[in-house]
């Protein structure tokens, strides 16, 4: 489609006009993806949906290192679009992305973001967690390396933005990732300390979720 071609034309850099154009493209794709749960949208073919997700992965590769408000808005939109597209079609699975590694590429991009970027775009963490939890559900976590990277991403989320991170999507994502990692990595990754800090802060709205997740982690490490 023209929108995917427009996204593909974006060149990495700090040109504010290009960054604004990328934002406009992914805002439009966000509106398209919002119709994917609609019963009146059966005409979108699997290959078209696959092309949208691949365009999102390509765009993430192009904006690595670009700290710009419009780019961060685009990234937030990209993760939500990829989630909506993946959620809309049960036929889409790991075999459709041979050589692309959606989880590995996405989580590496997020881990390379400066901490301040997470605070500039509030829903960046939330949208990416929805995407990763769905990838876990569809068994996209095929390697220990990806699972470890995803756990580190969750640790960073809990540390930088616990109000957004402490959601069942993070809990589900971490539990799935734990199954493909070694217990010694889980003990050393920092999640236990991050959750303990939250429990010590007396934030009632976070403490029950943090306590539940911490309990599950400790039980898993004992097995």
């Amino acid at each position: 489609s023209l929108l995917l071609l427009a996204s593909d034309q974006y060149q990495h850099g700090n040109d504010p006009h290009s960054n604004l154009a990328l934002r406009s493209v992914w805002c439009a794709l966000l509106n398209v993806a919002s119709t994917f749960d609609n019963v009146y949208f059966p005409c979108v073919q699997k290959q078209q949906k696959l092309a949208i997700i691949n365009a999102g992965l390509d765009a993430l590769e192009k904006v690595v290192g670009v700290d710009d408000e419009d780019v961060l808005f685009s990234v937030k939109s990209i993760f939500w679009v990829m989630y909506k597209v993946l959620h809309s079609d049960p036929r889409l699975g790991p075999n459709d992305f041979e050589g692309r590694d959606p989880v590995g590429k996405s989580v590496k991009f997020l881990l390379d973001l400066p901490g301040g970027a997470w605070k500039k775009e509030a829903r960046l963490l939330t949208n990416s967690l929805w995407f990763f939890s769905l990838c876990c559900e569809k068994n996209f976590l095929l390697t220990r390396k990806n699972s470890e990277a995803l756990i580190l991403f969750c640790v960073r989320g809990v540390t930088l933005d616990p109000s957004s991170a402490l959601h069942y999507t993070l809990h589900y994502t971490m539990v799935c990732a734990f199954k493909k990692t070694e217990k010694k990595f889980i003990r050393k990754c920092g999640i236990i300390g991050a959750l303990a800090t939250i429990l010590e802060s007396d934030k009632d709205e976070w403490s029950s979720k943090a306590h539940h997740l911490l309990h599950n982690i400790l039980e898993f490490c004992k097995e």
Side-chain angles (χ1 to χ4, degrees):
S1 77
L2 291 176
L3 288 173
L4 298 185
L5 287 173
S7 179
D8 188 56
Q9 290 301 307
Y10 174 82
Q11 298 297 317
H12 178 280
N14 291 309
D15 176 17
H17 298 293
S18 294
N19 295 340
L20 181 59
L22 186 70
R23 173 177 177 151
S24 300
V25 167
W26 282 96
C27 275
L29 285 167
L30 196 63
N31 290 331
V32 172
S34 68
T35 68
F36 276 26
D37 291 331
N38 194 309
V39 293
Y40 299 108
F41 210 82
C43 56
V44 178
Q45 301 297 314
K46 176 183 175 181
Q47 289 305 314
Q48 292 174 295
K49 294 179 180 180
L50 190 60
I52 294 174
I53 296 176
N54 281 326
L57 296 173
D58 289 340
L60 291 179
E61 289 182 355
K62 291 180 179 180
V63 298
V64 171
V66 181
D67 188 7
D68 175 87
E69 198 170 299
D70 288 320
V71 167
L72 291 176
F73 187 94
S74 299
V75 171
K76 172 194 75 173
S77 302
I78 287 168
F79 275 104
W80 191 245
V81 168
M82 292 196 300
Y83 164 76
K84 293 291 285 184
V85 173
L86 200 58
H87 184 266
S88 73
D89 197 329
R91 298 169 297 173
L92 287 173
N95 292 336
D96 294 307
F97 296 93
E98 188 174 352
R100 291 309 309 265
D101 189 14
V103 172
K105 288 181 181 295
S106 300
V107 76
K108 183 182 185 306
F109 170 84
L110 290 167
L111 286 172
D112 287 342
L113 280 177
W118 299 56
K119 296 176 182 177
K120 288 180 185 176
E121 192 49 71
R123 288 197 60 86
L124 176 58
L125 177 60
T126 306
N127 290 359
S128 55
L129 279 172
W130 276 104
F131 174 68
F132 289 134
S133 65
L134 184 58
C135 285
C136 290
E137 184 180 324
K138 287 177 170 277
N139 200 30
F140 277 73
L141 282 180
L142 301 178
T143 67
R144 189 176 78 179
K145 181 180 177 182
N146 280 356
S147 298
E148 290 178 351
L150 202 47
I151 290 171
L152 292 176
F153 163 72
C154 290
V155 173
R156 193 175 189 195
V158 169
T159 304
L160 293 175
D161 188 5
S163 62
S164 297
L166 288 172
H167 187 265
Y168 84 86
T169 51
L170 177 132
H171 196 142
Y172 181 79
T173 299
M174 292 202 77
V175 168
C176 290
F178 287 165
K179 295 175 183 177
K180 295 182 180 292
T181 54
E182 296 182 0
K183 290 179 182 143
K184 63 181 180 181
F185 175 83
I186 298 170
R187 295 188 190 103
K188 295 179 179 179
C189 70
I191 187 61
I192 295 175
L195 293 171
T197 300
I198 291 171
L199 290 172
E200 292 170 359
S201 70
D202 294 326
K203 295 275 189 180
D204 291 337
E205 68 271 28
W206 303 341
S207 60
S208 62
K209 295 177 181 177
H211 185 273
H212 182 52
L213 180 55
L214 183 58
H215 173 78
N216 283 357
I217 292 171
L218 294 176
E219 286 296 312
F220 182 84
C221 288
K222 283 196 307 185
E223 293 175 4

